[in-house]
Amino acid sequence: MAMWSLGGSWCRGRAIPCRTTRNWISRRTECAGHSAVVLPQCSTSTCDVRRVVVPQSQARKRTRSGWPVPVRGTMMDTPSRPHSTHAPNLAHAGRRLRVVVGMSGGVDSTVAAMLLQDAGHDVTGVFMRNWDELNETGACTSEAEYRRVQEVCARLGIACHKFDYVKEYWNFVFSDVLASFRVGLTPNPDILCNRHIKFGAFLDEATTRLDADYIATGHYAQNVIGPGDLPALARGVDSNKDQAYFLAGMPADVLRRVMFPIGHLIKDEVKKMARERGYRDIADQKESMGICFIGKRKFRSFLQEYVVDRPGGRIILHEGSRPLVHPETHDGVHLFTLGQRASIGGMHQRCFVVGKDVRCNDLHIVRGNAHPALATATVLASDVRWTAGAPPPDGSRVCLQFRHRQQALDGTVYLPGATAPAETRQVSNVMGHIPGETKPVWWPLHADECEVLLDVAAAAVTPGQAVVVYDATNHLCLGSGTITDTDIGTGAGYCNVES
């Protein structure tokens, strides 16, 4: 019986390893000592089988622990077990590397450093101070976090450093976030932080100051070898924790110097490793999910400190054949996100935001979350960054992701220079899809833009967030861009709504 059958499809007689007992079993056979039948790509069965990228030349090889070596080529089913998935480790087999790990004191970065130590590398920990807590009393506890990182590094037996990026964070992340909110967008600070700080300033300083061969982080993503032997980004095995969305658009020359040691693991396995190695206190601590410059404050309170309110804005309800102006007003469209629930007094049914007119400060809403205006089929993206440096062919079939933890959606990508309508490009102040209205055209596309057309309309696609483009065949990340607008058409603005 053949051990492996290469290719994306599942074949009937194929053998796979049970992730718990490591016995080789067929598709239709129960593993000895197991009650669950192993199903293809099943995320709920006991034997949870995962798909990873594997080189054809290494498809029949296995590591010392008996698990396949995942790196490049075609798609293949394999369980999520501890093994080396980053291309750099394989490219420098047998060489002791100097790796600088971005440490937060949490379980993910701790286990990442631990695995690199187990692989025999020279590991150093670095704490990145990105926000000045003296400016925001109580909003961020960077000194306490640094002490925790020092303690973790001491227990691991590795050196610990602190890099200060307060100035860079303010200039390249925080300022851009505020500028986006002011024009009605909903930005993603994590993507900007990864681009400019963790895989920008930190990578440069770790290389020059600490003479690092690579940097590593505790992100749930995988650095693999893609077409043309170029580094490529793949999703983390843990679909619930996958962070490739926040890393997409990272160029190949950066990826070739980065490691993601825990990308092939699920969160429970990471915590189990930490507990087994004496780090139970770290494994059991509450996970930090917030943004450092917001701290424990409510988001609205934070935003109102930096972006001036615009009170008196109209709330326009789209119902029936004619839009109605609600008697209540709002404090500015920058406080709302497309697709979010809007709490409007006197409305017995839930209302949702479908459009924002920045110039007129009008907020457009509909009743219920099933309204067709909440769906988007066409998206314009700008500041598009392709991992390989060049885009895929125009009209390529791709998979698209518009928010974290979202299942990738099938679609088509169109690029600048393609055959375009005869209309002249127009500019719109309106974001979203207002019932009964059409939008100004986007053509011709600018050099850093792309247009994506979904096979099936998606809900609440939000300008300012990222759209990540994946190859429809091997599911590697091709690149990402910032969502600028949604739904294409012709027409004017929406200020002429009667009061």
Side-chain angles (χ1 to χ4, degrees):
M1 179 174 61
M3 269 189 171
W4 296 99
S5 176
L6 291 175
S9 61
W10 185 273
C11 64
R12 180 175 297 274
R14 182 177 189 175
I16 58 174
C18 166
R19 68 179 291 211
T20 302
T21 65
R22 301 191 181 186
N23 294 327
W24 291 93
I25 57 177
S26 69
R27 177 187 181 187
R28 300 292 182 183
T29 306
E30 290 189 3
C31 172
H34 250 154
S35 59
V37 176
V38 180
L39 301 176
Q41 302 181 66
C42 177
S43 59
T44 56
S45 71
T46 307
C47 297
D48 192 10
V49 178
R50 307 286 183 176
R51 291 176 69 82
V52 297
V53 183
V54 180
Q56 295 189 25
S57 61
Q58 299 184 25
R60 296 179 182 273
K61 297 179 181 180
R62 290 188 286 169
T63 63
R64 292 179 182 177
S65 61
W67 298 105
V69 183
V71 214
R72 80 171 107 178
T74 59
M75 300 300 294
M76 181 175 188
D77 293 295
T78 187
S80 56
R81 299 296 302 183
H83 47 51
S84 174
T85 64
H86 6 275
N89 278 1
L90 293 171
H92 298 276
R95 175 185 164 191
R96 189 167 190 258
L97 301 171
R98 181 170 295 175
V99 185
V100 175
V101 183
M103 302 287 291
S104 66
V107 66
D108 296 332
S109 58
T110 300
V111 172
M114 187 173 66
L115 291 176
L116 290 168
Q117 281 186 303
D118 291 347
H121 299 310
D122 178 9
V123 181
T124 299
V126 167
F127 171 76
M128 285 171 270
R129 178 173 172 263
N130 298 332
W131 191 249
D132 191 347
E133 65 177 342
L134 298 179
N135 292 339
E136 300 293 333
T137 304
C140 189
T141 55
S142 63
E143 288 305 315
E145 291 173 356
Y146 179 46
R147 288 194 295 271
R148 186 165 67 246
V149 169
Q150 287 179 306
E151 294 172 0
V152 172
C153 289
R155 293 166 68 179
L156 288 168
I158 63 176
C160 181
H161 299 268
K162 179 169 71 171
F163 290 177
D164 197 313
Y165 298 123
V166 172
K167 181 178 179 180
E168 291 85 351
Y169 192 92
W170 181 279
N171 291 335
F172 298 108
V173 180
F174 188 65
S175 295
D176 279 6
V177 166
L178 295 184
S180 296
F181 275 119
R182 291 189 181 106
V183 297
L185 298 171
T186 304
N188 194 312
D190 291 328
I191 293 176
L192 293 174
C193 182
N194 286 333
R195 179 180 301 166
H196 297 291
I197 307 300
K198 294 179 182 176
F199 302 99
F202 171 52
L203 174 59
D204 292 341
E205 188 167 1
T207 303
T208 56
R209 179 175 161 185
L210 300 180
D211 196 25
D213 294 309
Y214 296 94
I215 65 167
T217 65
H219 284 95
Y220 287 85
Q222 298 190 81
N223 188 350
V224 302
I225 299 177
D229 285 339
L230 290 175
L233 182 69
R235 284 186 166 190
V237 165
D238 192 331
S239 59
N240 189 51
K241 299 297 295 183
D242 167 54
Q243 293 172 301
Y245 176 82
F246 302 108
L247 302 168
M250 191 185 303
D253 62 339
V254 172
L255 273 173
R256 70 174 72 253
R257 296 183 288 167
V258 174
M259 293 182 178
F260 302 119
I262 64 170
H264 63 291
L265 301 171
I266 61 175
K267 185 74 174 189
D268 288 346
E269 289 175 323
V270 172
K271 289 186 173 181
K272 181 181 179 182
M273 282 184 178
R275 293 189 185 103
E276 290 175 346
R277 300 285 286 270
Y279 299 94
R280 177 174 293 276
D281 55 326
I282 297 175
D284 294 342
Q285 69 185 9
K286 186 177 180 180
E287 191 171 3
S288 175
M289 300 293 290
I291 301 173
C292 69
F293 57 73
I294 295 179
K296 296 182 179 180
R297 293 171 295 176
K298 291 185 177 180
F299 176 76
R300 186 186 183 98
S301 299
F302 151 75
L303 197 57
Q304 288 176 319
E305 290 184 21
Y306 294 95
V307 181
V308 178
D309 280 353
R310 299 174 64 188
R314 296 187 301 176
I315 299 175
I316 300 171
L317 173 65
H318 293 267
E319 190 171 52
S321 60
R322 182 179 179 182
L324 303 173
V325 178
H326 194 274
E328 282 197 9
T329 60
H330 64 85
D331 293 329
V333 294
H334 61 281
L335 297 171
F336 297 88
T337 299
L338 292 183
Q340 81 170 81
R341 181 183 175 186
S343 298
I344 309 297
M347 302 293 288
H348 299 294
Q349 188 176 358
R350 293 181 177 181
C351 294
F352 294 83
V353 177
V354 293
K356 304 190 295 183
D357 191 318
V358 180
R359 179 164 58 88
C360 299
N361 198 29
D362 287 342
L363 185 71
H364 298 261
I365 63 173
V366 295
R367 295 180 191 266
N369 60 1
H371 196 285
L374 288 167
T376 294
T378 313
V379 176
L380 174 68
S382 62
D383 191 24
V384 179
R385 299 163 185 253
W386 303 107
T387 300
D394 181 64
S396 293
R397 295 290 297 163
V398 295
C399 294
L400 303 162
Q401 185 182 8
F402 297 101
R403 56 184 174 272
H404 182 219
R405 294 178 179 168
Q406 179 193 40
Q407 181 179 356
L409 307 173
D410 293 330
T412 307
V413 61
Y414 296 100
L415 305 170
T419 303
E423 294 93 330
T424 303
R425 186 184 179 110
Q426 303 171 35
V427 178
S428 173
N429 293 303
V430 181
M431 296 173 188
H433 185 196
I434 312 303
E437 300 284 354
T438 54
K439 301 294 289 293
V441 296
W442 299 335
W443 293 94
L445 295 176
H446 294 161
D448 69 338
E449 293 179 331
C450 73
E451 177 191 337
V452 294
L453 179 63
L454 289 165
D455 292 355
V456 179
V461 177
T462 306
Q465 295 288 294
V467 52
V468 178
V469 183
Y470 295 91
D471 189 292
T473 303
N474 58 25
H475 303 287
L476 297 180
C477 179
L478 298 176
S480 73
T482 302
I483 300 169
T484 305
D485 207 350
T486 59
D487 292 311
I488 195 168
T490 59
Y494 308 100
C495 287
N496 300 321
V497 178
E498 298 179 6
S499 300

